Amino acid sequence: MTEPIITVRDLHTSYGHRKILKGITLDIYPRETFVILGRSGCGKSTLLRHLVGLNKPDKGQILIKGIDMVTASEEEQNALLRKMGLLFQNGALFNSMTVGENVALPLMEHTPQESSTIRIMTRLKLGLVGLSGFENFMPSQLSGGMKKRAALARAITMDPDILLCDEPSAGLDPIVAAGIDQLILKLKTALRMTIVVVTHEMASVFMIADRICLLHDGEIKFLGTQAEMRQSKDPYVLQFIERRADDENLDPDQYLQDLMAE
Amino acid sequence: MSLDISVINDQGSAQLRIVGEVDMYSSTQVRRALLELVKQKQSPVIVDLNEVSYMDSSGVATLIEGLQMCGEYGGTLLIVGLRDNVREVFELTRLDKIFKIYQNIEAAMAR
């Protein structure tokens, strides 16, 4: 059996007194597209931030290629992070730099490459995301979907073997969002990457996911394939798949009790 | 990771044999070796990738630079011995369209 590339064991974290993740345990395997799904505030972006060491857990283990991100030395962490690409929710392009400079930045900071080689690498990456010829544009001159593509080019500029995407289709119309999902799939196949996507969009989930982890209130409510998810009888899973609003599940007795509670 | 790079000069042409993994940190060695051959205006420069088990985008970018530099003095750069995974990188970036790629050194020399 293939060894997981990412292993999370009994991960707990909190912001102040508020518990955000309550014992998350999961494995992510090489070259799968693993979707972390959940409502706003369920802890999914927090989980993603832990995977790249941006947050420290209260308790638990996060192993990337067998190395514990929590206890790893700075050098070990940096070596792991160089092979992990991160697509931020808002793209996080530097507005004062051109698209090409944004894509080139990690190469200039972390590799011994000459600027002439970096220029070619940047153009190759922009070509992969369908932005050939846009290297001298400023981010402000790009549409939302193009900005996301440029951010994706920057995320893959170091040839990562793990790509983490935080809400890649946030703020995009459904057609542009579908285009980004297709691009993620294309890059995954072409570059043989493991992809972890955080989203709340079911359309995205059904387009890209090999396996899905549904988080609810800091705990895993469901973990499995798309087919397994569709067969689930769990009311919360069904609510998510059918995109039903909360009040359709309202328990009148419970609601009355909540209102009348001392 | 360090690469093993050797050069065989043969009547104006040169074979650059690379052994190992060409990545962000080792591809600069390939660049230095190519620059040396370009300085000598060798042609064709035959880059033998038979023993290259991995090549990332810095490796292909370096070869593109080599191709361009050879072209500046009317020389050519040929690629031989692409393994399947390295060939995929070439195809992904459509570089299989711009490089002349041969099965082996003999085929490249007999072109």
Side-chain angles (χ1 to χ4, degrees):
Chain A
M1 178 132 178
T2 317
E3 289 288 312
I5 191 163
I6 299 174
T7 299
V8 178
R9 290 286 175 272
D10 196 27
L11 185 69
H12 291 257
T13 197
S14 49
Y15 291 141
H17 293 298
R18 189 169 160 239
K19 297 219 174 293
I20 305 295
L21 299 175
K22 304 169 185 171
I24 301 295
T25 289
L26 54 86
D27 292 312
I28 300 173
Y29 292 92
R31 296 188 195 170
E32 73 170 333
T33 305
F34 189 90
V35 171
I36 302 169
L37 176 67
R39 295 171 58 168
S40 302
C42 72
K44 56 189 190 300
S45 291
T46 302
L47 175 55
L48 195 78
R49 291 173 64 84
H50 278 82
L51 297 182
V52 289
L54 286 171
N55 288 19
K56 293 281 177 214
D58 298 339
K59 183 183 154 197
Q61 264 192 326
I62 301 149
L63 306 178
I64 309 288
K65 300 173 197 169
I67 297 172
D68 192 333
M69 281 296 270
V70 182
T71 58
S73 66
E74 198 179 330
E75 198 178 327
E76 282 177 317
Q77 256 197 22
N78 287 340
L80 286 174
L81 291 174
R82 278 197 288 270
K83 295 301 281 180
M84 294 169 83
L86 181 55
L87 175 65
F88 292 95
Q89 193 173 137
N90 58 5
L93 294 171
F94 292 107
N95 287 324
S96 58
M97 300 166 83
T98 65
V99 169
E101 287 166 347
N102 266 285
V103 177
L105 189 63
L107 296 166
M108 295 175 77
E109 287 199 333
H110 300 295
T111 75
Q113 296 296 328
E114 296 291 332
S115 57
S116 54
T117 316
I118 288 177
R119 190 164 52 244
I120 296 170
M121 291 168 75
T122 300
R123 287 175 182 164
L124 287 173
K125 293 292 155 55
L126 286 173
L128 281 178
V129 300
L131 285 181
S132 290
F134 283 89
E135 65 183 283
N136 292 323
F137 280 58
M138 301 304 285
S140 59
Q141 295 173 293
L142 303 182
S143 68
M146 289 162 88
K147 275 184 195 160
K148 201 70 88 163
R149 283 172 184 267
L152 203 42
R154 189 178 62 188
I156 61 168
T157 196
M158 294 279 288
D159 291 347
D161 37 34
I162 302 172
L163 176 65
L164 305 133
C165 307
D166 193 4
E167 303 273 8
S169 46
L172 302 177
D173 72 55
I175 295 168
V176 175
I180 295 293
D181 286 339
Q182 279 168 353
L183 178 59
I184 288 172
L185 278 185
K186 176 188 141 188
L187 293 176
K188 175 204 164 192
T189 309
L191 303 176
R192 300 180 170 202
M193 292 185 293
T194 304
I195 297 192
V196 182
V197 176
V198 160
T199 189
H200 60 266
E201 301 277 353
M202 285 312 294
S204 271
V205 173
F206 289 134
M207 186 182 271
I208 63 177
D210 292 319
R211 287 193 307 139
I212 302 143
C213 165
L214 176 61
L215 286 187
H216 178 51
D217 197 19
E219 294 177 345
I220 295 178
K221 195 77 179 169
F222 168 86
L223 180 59
T225 62
Q226 285 195 35
E228 287 163 347
M229 188 177 211
R230 288 178 201 272
Q231 286 167 1
S232 172
K233 300 280 186 273
D234 184 288
Y236 187 71
V237 175
L238 287 173
Q239 184 189 3
F240 232 96
I241 294 176
E242 293 162 11
R243 305 179 75 228
R244 271 188 280 114
D246 264 347
D247 55 1
E248 292 176 37
N249 288 345
L250 185 73
D251 177 343
D253 293 338
Q254 183 64 50
Y255 185 44
L256 185 59
Q257 270 183 31
D258 290 346
L259 291 173
M260 301 296 288
E262 292 293 324
Chain B
M1 191 175 289
S2 179
L3 285 176
D4 187 5
I5 297 180
S6 55
V7 177
I8 302 170
N9 289 302
D10 183 17
Q11 297 172 346
S13 73
Q15 295 168 27
L16 186 69
R17 186 165 179 269
I18 305 168
V19 179
E21 297 189 354
V22 182
D23 63 17
M24 300 274 172
Y25 306 94
S26 63
S27 58
T28 49
Q29 283 178 258
V30 177
R31 190 173 188 278
R32 277 196 297 274
L34 277 173
L35 275 176
E36 194 55 41
L37 297 176
V38 165
K39 209 186 291 177
Q40 298 163 15
K41 299 196 173 173
Q42 302 272 15
S43 185
V45 172
I46 302 173
V47 182
D48 182 354
L49 300 177
N50 261 303
E51 298 299 320
V52 170
S53 52
Y54 171 82
M55 179 176 280
D56 69 9
S57 58
S58 71
V60 292
T62 300
L63 293 177
I64 294 169
E65 273 194 286
L67 181 70
Q68 188 186 18
M69 289 186 290
C70 285
E72 282 167 11
Y73 59 81
T76 55
L77 183 144
L78 313 174
I79 305 283
V80 301
L82 284 185
R83 292 191 185 185
D84 286 348
N85 59 328
V86 178
R87 182 178 290 277
E88 279 177 26
V89 180
F90 274 67
E91 287 173 355
L92 171 68
T93 43
R94 291 177 295 172
L95 297 179
D96 53 326
K97 310 285 182 220
I98 68 167
F99 282 105
K100 292 194 171 97
I101 300 169
Y102 298 89
Q103 289 274 2
N104 49 44
I105 299 277
E106 293 71 29
M109 293 297 280
R111 80 199 190 283

